Amino acid sequence: MRRRSQACRARCAVAPGGAHRSELDAALTEAAAAAGAEVRDSTALTTLQQQGDTVTVKTNRGDTLRARAVVGADGSASRVARYVGVRCAQVDLALEAEVPVDTRTADRWRGRLLMEWGPLPGSFGWVFPKGDVCTAGVVAARGEPAALRAYKDDFLERHGLLGPRPLHDTGHLTRCRHPGSPLARGRVLVAGDAAALVRPAHTYHASEAAHDRFR
């Protein structure tokens, strides 16, 4: 990891073409179903109640489900986290695009990734190649969206990724857990992004992965 003027490019042992999130999600869903889980698409939790050793869950489809325990792994906007009372020490904004690339650009990025520290406090950018698509984005503390958008445009332009129309162009919040924040309430637990299990010093998941990779 280096400052923006010394962006860090590294060869890494990743599968050719990387991993597309939709394909990863589908593979995990299939594995869960094969292990005996019941998969319900387009179903959202609406309420949680606990009584004794039973947790009752109601959904937007009108279902009422009962279990001995509930684990909420429903992302950074988790409804289960609100029920548990998860508190955050820091909230960051990430802007990300999936950009289609031509053969020459794909060859240039093959077997490599890029991460750089950005110009805003606590900011950084990344490029992860996935064959004929590059996922690229930037992240910084929430509160300066215009400055972050300008950094994103500059970052994409410097790395030859601004011209093509992105397949996806999204933004999302990354929450970092307060040290005293609970991870459970009774028989209801939170995990992953729902628990805000990202250290403030590393802000976004990609940063932590890079720290681990380059130690």
Side-chain angles (χ1 to χ4, degrees), residues 2 23 101 215:
R2 301 176 185 173
E23 295 174 358
V101 295
R215 277 175 187 155

Side-chain angles (χ1 to χ4, degrees), residues 86-143:
V86 173
R87 303 192 308 277
C88 298
Q90 176 179 321
V91 180
D92 296 335
L93 174 62
L95 302 178
E96 183 176 72
E98 287 199 343
V99 182
V101 295
D102 57 27
T103 301
R104 181 177 179 181
T105 303
D107 289 342
R108 178 165 61 89
W109 284 105
R110 183 172 290 111
R112 313 176 79 181
L113 62 82
L114 178 143
M115 296 189 71
E116 67 169 36
W117 296 126
L120 305 175
S123 66
F124 64 90
W126 68 89
V127 178
F128 295 151
K130 301 175 182 179
D132 59 356
V133 172
C134 282
T135 297
V138 297
V139 66
R142 182 175 61 174

Side-chain angles (χ1 to χ4, degrees), residues 148-168:
L148 187 60
R149 285 194 294 270
Y151 173 34
K152 176 191 171 188
D153 289 345
D154 173 71
F155 180 79
L156 294 177
E157 183 175 19
R158 283 188 287 108
H159 298 297
L161 300 173
L162 185 60
R165 183 174 180 176
L167 301 175
H168 302 286

Side-chain angles (χ1 to χ4, degrees), residues 35-84:
E38 180 180 341
V39 178
R40 300 191 181 193
D41 290 326
S42 304
T43 302
L45 177 148
T46 56
T47 62
L48 272 169
Q49 292 181 330
Q50 296 190 70
Q51 186 172 10
D53 292 339
T54 301
V55 183
T56 301
V57 174
K58 293 187 178 181
T59 75
N60 62 329
R61 292 176 172 265
D63 301 318
T64 299
L65 309 173
R66 293 178 177 84
R68 293 178 58 193
V70 168
V71 178
D74 48 338
S76 62
S78 169
R79 295 186 180 186
V80 181
R82 290 198 292 272
Y83 176 83
V84 169

